Amino acid sequence: MTALRLKPRRVEKVWGRRDLGEPFRDVAADAEPVGEIWFEAPPGREAPLLVKYLFTSERLSIQVHPDEAMAKADGAACGKDEAWLVLSAEPGATIGLGLTRKVGRDALREAALDGSIETLVDWRPVRAGDVFYSPAGTVHSIGAGLRLIEVQQNVDFTYRLYDYGRPRQLHLEKAVAAARPEPFRAEQASRRLAEGRTQLCAGDRLRLERCAGPGRFELEGAAWIVPLRGGASLDGSAIDPGSVWMTDAAAILDLGAEADALVAFACDPD
């Protein structure tokens, strides 16, 4: 198939921002802040992954995503692994990943109820270029002052443990049941694949690569391509930062001297 440009959809969030930064248009001062831009396939097109840009002015809820079995038992199509590439980070910005120590589920529930979960979460300082893979079951939260790209299994399914007193629904019992209440362990470190091509992270459900120009890169099979900067083309068609593209077959990504792109692939655990 010819490369397909995915349609963007802005999603307002209480923790979002109005200063989205290039290449996006900022939000008007009298409009609700935007927290996410989703890039969606047309109706009827199967897309196992979803790519988003996230913009944060406050911490997101402390949350957890269910694995395949629990998600399907709760009516979802699949569980939710996700990965993040940090694009920019204000001084002191953090991402919460896992807990500072292992606790029992009863202790996790009590920490969510009394608010001490804020100090139980392992808040890690982050900077531009950092990459994290967060498998289903990881207790996590994205902090304030960040712009990042999130690649996730294509399901809108989250259990909130704690939301700093905001008037939004929590899913305490389901979140406690889905969580691995322990410190986070990275799935895999980045590794060089070839000249200009690096695998950033990989897990059971998806993997991320980064391609840096100048170069011509063969993409094997279905892929999601996110041009980050500079001049680029996909199967001969120009692609620009701020867009996301999907292919369901092998494709050629050409990058100019100052260009680079994020490429995501869905994984079949079987």
Side-chain angles (χ1 to χ4, degrees), residues 43 48 61 63 73 80 101 120 122 125 136 147 153 158 186 225-226 250:
S61 63
Q63 58 188 244
K80 186 176 173 184
R101 66 183 189 278
L120 182 60
D122 187 3
R147 295 175 65 249
Q153 288 180 269
T158 296
I225 300 94
V226 188

Side-chain angles (χ1 to χ4, degrees), residues 95-123:
I95 286 179
L97 276 173
L99 307 180
T100 56
R101 66 183 189 278
K102 186 172 183 177
V103 301
R105 296 190 188 277
D106 288 344
L108 180 64
R109 181 185 297 104
E110 289 304 313
L113 288 170
D114 67 19
S116 61
I117 194 170
E118 287 193 59
T119 58
L120 182 60
V121 168
D122 187 3
W123 297 99

Side-chain angles (χ1 to χ4, degrees), residues 35-240:
E36 303 176 343
I37 300 178
W38 294 26
F39 290 83
E40 300 173 309
R45 286 297 303 271
E46 181 179 353
L49 299 183
L50 174 65
V51 177
K52 303 176 180 177
Y53 278 77
L54 270 65
F55 314 88
T56 69
S57 65
E58 302 174 9
R59 284 179 174 175
L60 278 65
S61 63
I62 297 174
Q63 58 188 244
V64 64
H65 304 308
D67 63 14
E68 300 292 302
M70 187 171 183
K72 290 177 179 178
D74 205 12
C78 63
K80 186 176 173 184
D81 282 20
E82 57 193 6
W84 307 305
L85 168 63
V86 178
L87 299 175
S88 66
E90 296 175 3
T94 59
I95 286 179
L97 276 173
L99 307 180
T100 56
R101 66 183 189 278
K102 186 172 183 177
V103 301
R105 296 190 188 277
D106 288 344
L108 180 64
R109 181 185 297 104
E110 289 304 313
L113 288 170
D114 67 19
S116 61
I117 194 170
E118 287 193 59
T119 58
L120 182 60
V121 168
D122 187 3
W123 297 99
R124 301 163 182 242
V126 295
R127 59 185 180 181
D130 285 349
V131 178
F132 302 94
Y133 190 105
S134 177
T138 304
V139 177
H140 66 278
S141 175
I142 297 173
L146 291 169
R147 295 175 65 249
L148 55 83
I149 295 172
E150 177 177 286
V151 181
Q152 59 163 87
Q153 288 180 269
N154 191 7
V155 60
D156 188 17
F157 207 60
T158 296
Y159 297 146
R160 293 192 191 105
L161 273 165
Y162 178 77
D163 202 25
Y164 318 99
R166 296 176 184 134
R168 297 196 296 173
Q169 181 181 7
L170 299 179
H171 317 89
L172 184 59
E173 296 307 320
K174 289 181 178 180
V176 168
R180 293 198 301 270
E182 61 190 19
F184 171 81
R185 293 176 178 81
E187 293 290 293
Q188 183 175 328
S190 64
R191 61 187 180 93
R192 186 75 170 268
L193 298 176
E195 183 65 29
R197 187 168 181 174
T198 302
Q199 180 172 284
L200 302 178
C201 63
D204 289 342
R205 302 294 171 175
L206 63 95
R207 76 177 192 274
L208 297 186
E209 296 182 8
R210 192 162 188 172
C211 296
R216 178 180 171 89
F217 304 91
E218 295 184 10
L219 307 180
E220 311 83 9
W224 287 255
I225 300 94
V226 188
L228 299 174
R229 60 173 183 161
S233 66
L234 185 64
D235 282 344
S237 297
I239 60 176
D240 300 316

